Amino acid sequence: MLRKFFTYGSGIAERAHLPHKIALVAVVILLTATVDLGARDGTKNWVVLENCRLIVNPANDGDSFHVSVGAKEYLFRLYLVDAPETDALTPGRLVEQSKYFEITVPQAIEVGEAAKAFTQQKLSRPFTVFTHMADAMGRSKMERFYAFVQTKEGDLGEQLVRNGLGRNYGYKAVPPGLRNSRLEVEKLQQFEDEARQEKIGGWGVNAGRLNAYAQRPVSFSVFVTEKNAPARAVPHTFHRISAPPPLSSSAVTVVSAEAKKSHAKEAIEVGRIDINTATEKELRMIPGVGPVMATRIVAARPFRSADDLKKVSGIGDKKYAKVRPYFQ
């Protein structure tokens, strides 16, 4: 490309402008990367979803699953941990996973199914989710967010890795209450090494130990929340959302720094929102619209009418039917 540039350009003048053009391209690339990163960041504060319940869904697997908290449904993907796929819809990823565990592709799918069953069992009781609402993308039309998931036994990702059903791999974030991700990554690697040595889960497929679990008692991380955080030790802000008790029809309670100063969050009225003038805060009040989706709606303006919501990335037929009634 450079040879062609010098041949057909205007010689010295073109050469003189080349560094500026390269610099301009570099700036454009940097800005593009920055925008993409910002889209994945979500909120800086931890959103704590308590009394969550697993929603049985065919698309669930070991590290990605549908969750309900009160009347709301979310789709989460675990931070730091990757469990094998349960189908061949992403063959490249499946091949990479099978190579990592040193097994065949069909065996990797078996491990993925075992991880899915393990997660379903661990999430059979209410659990807690910590999320920044950072976009985890994925194949689903429903928006997916990265999260740490806390069961009665501790961090779900650690349990998967320690039992050979997941690997120390994936999008990193500093766990709630910690100042960096290094300690958690090192702990996951230790768990992975122990599972490999014991030949359990994916590391034990060829030895007939796919469903063999770690026998030695293990202490899994219990990430701190607003309730049990030591004074001045936690550099995070928490927004807590608790689901109502089982079989209760009461509304979801939102407790945050703002909520302590005022009354409970006002329910948004059907038909109230103007698609072209609503603030991101107003948009986030709509059930099913999180920080990332609110940002996308604002970026897609102006709309001819709220019927154009389907043009927004991440809003499929199901989500459109859910959110459209709230707009004028």
Side-chain angles (χ1 to χ4, degrees), residues 91 130 167 223 252 266 328:
F130 298 84
R167 56 178 175 160
F223 298 125
V252 177
E266 180 186 358
Q328 296 175 3

Side-chain angles (χ1 to χ4, degrees), residues 61 82-97 105 109 138-139:
D61 57 25
D82 178 56
E85 304 298 309
T86 57
D87 54 48
L89 293 178
T90 52
R93 184 170 179 77
L94 194 55
V95 168
E96 193 269 330
Q97 290 168 333
V105 168
I109 292 177
R139 302 193 304 258

Side-chain angles (χ1 to χ4, degrees), residues 271-279 282-283 301 306 326-328:
R272 168 183 165 184
I273 297 292
D274 184 315
I275 188 66
N276 287 314
T277 63
T279 64
E282 289 175 317
L283 291 170
R301 291 172 177 169
Y326 291 91
F327 292 93
Q328 296 175 3

